[in-house]
Amino acid sequence: LNMNVGAACLGSVNLKGRSLLTLKDFNSDEIKRLLWVSGDLKHRIKKENQYLPLLQGKSIAMIFEKRSTRTRMSTETGFALLGGHPCFLTSQDIHLGVNESSTDTARVLSGLCDIVLARVYSHSTLEELEKEATIPIINGLCDLYHPIQILADFLTLQEHYGKLDGLTVSWIGDGNNVLHSFMMTAAKLGVHLRIATPKGYGPEASVVQEAQRLSKLHGTQLVMTSDPMEAAKGSDVLVTDTWVSMGQEEEKKKRLKDFHGYQISNKTGSMANPDWTFLHCLPRKQEEVDDEVFYSPRSLVFPEAENRKWTIMGLMVSLLVDYTPQTKMPRF
């Protein structure tokens, strides 16, 4: 019965016309709906070989102030696979707020395409675009959040464990945009979060406050520490990311020193549950996780990278058209 009630609930979720700047703005049902649509498209296209030109005649402007491998490839190939036309713009082609105000750019793009994905330095740039645009804006990564990465991570875990509710995820690393997005999402899916960051590298205070509110609301645990072993205790999933993000290259030496002891290895894993797995949004450096874990059967990093494509497709379809998943709602 519960599944039917859940399916009815999720069936009535409509995200058409919405923007995704942060998953802070999306509730449990909306996030589950995005995961359902993504898994559904993956099944229909990859498993059943169906051709689904759901975005035929539509175009996406992809604005990149920073470099990208997975975000660019997944969005371009995903949008094209659905019959749409992607347009890739670098800072050579478009200089947000420099040769044209973000306000004007938002209005111009609203008349030329159907949706915008932007990878920017500052979250405020996305807010400016969203305020003036009449089409959906997707955050392709900014200083504060990386929401599309988190959708891929949770689809990967849902596929691996068969459900998300009750899982414990441990973040061991930098208090960065990917962690912020985990903190805005985990509790809404019934996922406990254990976070280890070195002193001085913790997540932003406002994000911590909201995460604490969410875990109270949803009855999940949120643990914050500076001890990686403590964070790994009783965990199902160990997660890390780069210690030196784009734009922080000059701090590299200091960061490597400050993150000493944070490399994920089987020693870290010895604190976790027997069937623990490992996630990393890539690109990966050796100091963050050793080869033994990274290339082990526990590591889900390559399915995770592929799921960037299915989740960005699920998101774009959900924001642009009325789509009903054809597969049964998965367990969450």
Side-chain angles (χ1 to χ4, degrees):
L1 175 83
N2 223 346
M3 281 296 277
N4 294 342
V5 172
C9 255
L10 291 195
S12 62
V13 172
N14 191 333
L15 298 170
K16 196 172 166 187
R18 288 271 296 270
S19 284
L20 171 57
L21 302 198
T22 165
L23 289 164
K24 180 182 179 179
D25 304 334
F26 283 62
N27 65 29
S28 298
D29 282 353
E30 291 167 339
I31 295 168
K32 288 173 184 173
R33 170 80 186 200
L34 288 172
L35 295 174
W36 182 11
V37 171
S38 303
D40 177 79
L41 293 175
K42 182 176 184 177
H43 179 81
R44 294 184 69 188
I45 296 169
K46 189 181 177 180
K47 291 273 186 308
E48 299 192 339
N49 244 330
Q50 295 184 30
Y51 174 56
L52 299 178
L54 299 167
L55 302 182
Q56 195 152 19
K58 300 204 186 295
S59 57
I60 182 169
M62 300 166 55
I63 302 173
F64 283 76
E65 292 183 345
K66 299 180 171 190
R67 64 179 183 267
S68 164
T69 305
R70 278 147 293 273
T71 299
R72 178 179 179 178
M73 280 299 294
S74 57
T75 308
E76 262 192 51
T77 58
F79 206 81
L81 186 53
L82 293 163
H85 182 82
C87 302
F88 180 73
L89 304 163
T90 67
S91 34
Q92 262 64 57
D93 311 294
I94 188 167
H95 231 159
L96 288 174
V98 179
N99 63 341
E100 179 173 52
S101 72
S102 298
T103 303
D104 293 1
T105 297
R107 292 185 180 188
V108 170
L109 290 175
S110 295
L112 294 175
C113 62
D114 301 279
I115 189 166
V116 174
L117 176 134
R119 165 166 289 204
V120 296
Y121 284 100
S122 167
H123 190 72
S124 58
T125 305
L126 291 166
E127 292 175 329
E128 284 165 27
L129 286 173
E130 204 258 337
K131 195 161 161 270
E132 285 300 325
T134 53
I135 57 176
I137 308 290
I138 296 174
N139 179 355
L141 177 145
C142 66
D143 56 344
L144 204 53
Y145 296 112
H146 195 357
I148 57 179
Q149 178 63 49
I150 295 314
L151 293 174
D153 289 0
F154 280 121
L155 180 63
T156 307
L157 294 177
Q158 198 283 327
E159 289 173 337
H160 181 83
Y161 289 104
K163 71 180 185 103
L164 294 170
D165 187 48
L167 285 180
T168 299
V169 168
S170 298
W171 177 273
I172 297 170
D174 190 18
N176 66 10
N177 47 9
V178 180
L179 172 59
H180 288 163
S181 286
F182 260 118
M183 292 169 76
M184 291 300 105
T185 314
K188 295 170 185 172
L189 298 169
V191 173
H192 309 295
L193 211 44
R194 301 178 70 87
I195 298 166
T197 51
K199 288 189 174 51
Y201 293 94
E204 197 134 317
S206 60
V207 177
V208 173
Q209 215 179 341
E210 175 67 1
Q212 285 167 335
R213 187 188 74 80
L214 287 171
S215 69
K216 263 205 194 72
L217 182 68
H218 295 280
T220 59
Q221 288 172 347
L222 176 66
V223 174
M224 305 194 55
T225 174
S226 54
D227 176 4
M229 290 308 202
E230 180 58 32
K233 208 179 273 176
S235 175
D236 299 297
V237 192
L238 305 182
V239 193
T240 192
D241 184 13
T242 181
W243 297 344
V244 187
S245 291
M246 287 183 267
Q248 298 174 338
E249 286 78 10
E250 65 290 346
E251 304 169 28
K252 184 169 179 182
K253 221 177 173 155
K254 181 180 182 334
R255 282 178 166 263
L256 287 185
K257 198 169 125 277
D258 293 346
F259 280 83
H260 181 73
Y262 271 71
Q263 187 191 49
I264 292 184
S265 64
N266 282 325
K267 186 175 167 230
T268 328
S270 70
M271 301 296 289
N273 288 339
D275 64 345
W276 65 274
T277 54
F278 174 74
L279 292 179
H280 190 308
C281 65
L282 309 181
R284 164 254 184 180
K285 308 279 183 301
Q286 189 109 33
E287 64 263 16
E288 301 143 9
V289 52
D290 67 13
D291 279 354
E292 204 180 345
V293 170
F294 188 76
Y295 292 111
S296 74
R298 296 184 181 279
S299 175
L300 304 177
V301 298
F302 298 111
E304 175 188 13
E306 184 193 326
N307 278 336
R308 287 292 307 277
K309 178 165 171 163
W310 302 111
T311 47
I312 197 70
M313 288 165 67
L315 177 62
M316 295 184 301
V317 164
S318 300
L319 302 185
L320 283 173
V321 295
D322 291 304
Y323 177 74
T324 307
Q326 303 299 295
T327 51
K328 207 167 114 258
M329 184 187 81
R331 277 181 68 196
F332 291 110

